[in-house]
Amino acid sequence: MKQRGRHRRRRQGRALRAALTGAALALTGAATLISASQATVADDPGSLEPLTSVTETDALRLTEHRVPSPWLDRLSAAMGEPVGVDTVLDSADHTLRDAADCATGDREALPVSPAATRAYCWEDEDTEGWRPGAVTTSGDADEDGRWGAHRVILSAWSRDDGTPGGGLARVSFVDADDPDHLDYTSALLAVPVDGGHNYRGLASPVSGMVWYQDKLLVTTGAGGRDALYVYDVERIQRATTDADAVGRVPGGWAADGHPYVLPAVASYRLSGAQDAARPAAISLDRGTAPDSLVASERVPADGDRPTRLWRYAFGTDPDRTGLPAADSAGHVDAVEAYETGAAEVGGVLSHRPAGAERADWYLGRAAGGHDGRGTLWRQDTEGARATECGADRSQRCWSGQAGSLSYWAQTGEVWSQSGRMLFALPLTSIEDALD
């Protein structure tokens, strides 16, 4: 049985690669139809301009607020002993489909150039009414690329029911041990309230997410001063009822029908500056000492100001695992910051190749107010370059929604998500497309 399974997975892998290649060729052909005027819409953002004044960097400051330990302990006492990632993965009850089995309309969300080498789509019924968000992996969580014995992908989703504060956010835990068969299940993101006697759903889209050590950091949308929420992957609670409600209900605890709930353990609030920068996309950079959290804000295409890019250092205190470095007042300050002419930044990466003097910044830019595809740029203090595709060398070759970017160093892959497609491609293929 195992031998037949391996042969079947090999055939599926060959079919997937053929499907992805065919899709990329078809999309490239479509890209040649883009007019020259459309190809130049993605204006060159120029070089990165360092931000050095106190006024500029103060606008990037965050202030840490920890959820009191008694609140979390009270929830655990009421809901039961927390579980870990292994338990969640063992209960995976949904399956991602290979790209070859995905709808053509879904595959159109994949980038044209460079093309994805691995791609999957989510179950229709499970994602109906939910919008895809950020992606992170166990490659962020640990230097060996695993969490315990597993390779894991985390995918964020959000839902807005149209009422103030009525949105929800969840994270899908994907067992990525077998690339030919990805199973997953989801946990609702929550915020403890009422002294830990209850919790509410996180009413925000999650456009950025990083899993670092035992903490999961997620961005929040506009509407409040809390810019980041932090979750502890060792504090996952089981829901005790599958009711559509959230929090304490008659007979137990509900998580909108999800089997698990993650209560926040901390949040980071924006500075009081009028021009305070809200992180929209985040990623991990292990090429700095210490490791750092890379962030970008999202300025609309018709905005009248540059976009800020910056980084926070992670702390090295063993009593504060997975958290950014903070001073005695709880302030977290940027250790490096720039401005860029790029707008609609949906994904950001900072990576310094071996032997290089400085890091390159990669920006995934959404299509914005224009129809079609986004762009992928590499930028530094000397200039910028975009990937190109089609006979007219259009720069609109990336996914239109330009989701977050997450680099899995152990495999050399960059993961992202656009529409209902989860996909990966080697960082080397991005470099080749930019040379």
Side-chain angles (χ1 to χ4, degrees):
M1 289 293 291
K2 291 184 178 179
Q3 186 69 19
R4 288 198 295 271
R6 282 197 294 270
H7 289 165
R8 182 172 60 254
R9 287 194 294 271
R10 287 170 184 160
R11 289 195 298 272
Q12 290 172 339
R14 287 194 294 269
L16 171 61
R17 287 190 291 273
L20 290 176
T21 300
L25 290 172
L27 292 171
T28 301
T32 62
L33 301 177
I34 300 175
S35 68
S37 61
Q38 287 176 304
T40 58
V41 167
D43 296 332
D44 189 333
S47 59
L48 295 178
E49 299 295 331
L51 298 178
T52 57
S53 76
V54 173
T55 301
E56 291 171 327
T57 56
D58 277 355
L60 308 175
R61 169 177 285 179
L62 297 176
T63 301
E64 180 179 287
H65 293 267
R66 304 288 290 271
V67 174
S69 295
W71 291 31
L72 298 170
D73 294 340
R74 192 169 290 127
L75 266 180
S76 296
M79 299 185 68
E81 192 71 20
V83 301
V85 175
D86 286 356
T87 299
V88 174
L89 294 177
D90 287 344
S91 64
D93 53 355
H94 298 281
T95 301
L96 284 158
R97 298 195 303 274
D98 289 336
D101 299 321
C102 300
T104 301
D106 287 337
R107 292 202 302 266
E108 288 176 353
L110 294 171
V112 173
S113 176
T117 52
R118 289 206 273 164
Y120 312 87
C121 58
W122 300 85
E123 289 186 4
D124 298 1
E125 184 176 348
D126 184 55
T127 55
E128 184 177 358
W130 291 84
R131 298 194 309 274
V135 172
T136 184
T137 73
S138 55
D140 281 350
D142 194 273
E143 290 185 357
D144 71 359
R146 296 177 180 271
W147 186 255
H150 295 288
R151 296 182 184 273
V152 190
I153 301 167
L154 301 186
S155 169
W157 295 78
S158 62
R159 188 178 72 200
D160 187 352
D161 65 5
T163 63
L168 292 175
R170 73 184 189 193
V171 170
S172 296
F173 288 72
V174 182
D175 184 341
D177 287 334
D178 181 354
D180 293 324
H181 188 86
L182 303 188
D183 291 329
Y184 72 95
T185 194
S186 302
L188 191 74
L189 296 180
V191 180
V193 297
D194 191 22
H197 291 286
N198 208 342
Y199 55 81
R200 63 172 175 82
L202 178 66
S204 175
V206 177
S207 57
M209 181 168 62
V210 165
W211 181 7
Y212 184 65
Q213 298 177 0
D214 60 346
K215 301 299 191 299
L216 182 65
L217 296 89
V218 305
T219 62
T220 60
R225 287 187 59 198
D226 289 309
L228 290 172
Y229 275 92
V230 181
Y231 296 86
D232 187 334
V233 296
E234 300 293 353
R235 276 190 173 272
I236 303 171
Q237 301 285 168
R238 293 182 188 270
T240 59
T241 172
D242 60 0
D244 291 339
V246 175
R248 185 189 289 273
V249 296
W253 297 87
D256 188 52
H258 297 87
Y260 301 99
V261 61
L262 262 169
V265 299
S267 65
Y268 289 85
R269 294 180 183 169
L270 299 170
S271 76
Q274 185 176 1
D275 60 344
R278 178 181 292 275
I282 57 176
S283 63
L284 176 69
D285 188 351
R286 290 191 180 273
T288 57
D291 299 338
S292 58
L293 180 70
V294 174
S296 70
E297 61 182 342
R298 186 153 186 166
V299 175
D302 58 358
D304 58 358
R305 63 178 180 84
T307 296
R308 287 167 289 188
L309 313 173
W310 66 100
R311 70 173 79 236
Y312 303 112
F314 276 107
T316 57
D317 185 342
D319 293 330
R320 289 175 45 82
T321 55
L323 298 176
D327 64 19
S328 58
H331 295 151
V332 178
D333 291 308
V335 295
E336 184 181 12
Y338 300 96
E339 282 184 346
T340 172
E344 298 286 356
V345 176
V348 61
L349 272 182
S350 173
H351 177 72
R352 186 175 71 177
E357 295 183 1
R358 61 178 180 269
D360 291 322
W361 291 70
Y362 300 85
L363 308 179
R365 297 173 60 183
H370 307 285
D371 293 332
R373 299 189 160 275
T375 58
L376 182 64
W377 288 88
R378 181 181 63 199
Q379 198 172 8
D380 58 26
T381 54
E382 295 184 355
R385 183 174 178 82
T387 59
E388 298 176 344
C389 56
D392 59 0
R393 304 185 67 180
S394 167
Q395 295 172 346
R396 296 200 171 276
C397 311
W398 196 240
S399 55
Q401 296 184 19
S404 70
L405 303 172
S406 181
Y407 178 55
W408 198 329
Q410 297 75 20
T411 66
E413 294 172 308
V414 174
W415 284 86
S416 188
Q417 187 164 261
S418 182
R420 295 196 328 104
M421 299 299 298
L422 173 71
F423 65 91
L425 66 165
L427 179 59
T428 53
S429 70
I430 294 177
E431 287 296 325
D432 290 345
L434 289 165
D435 289 339

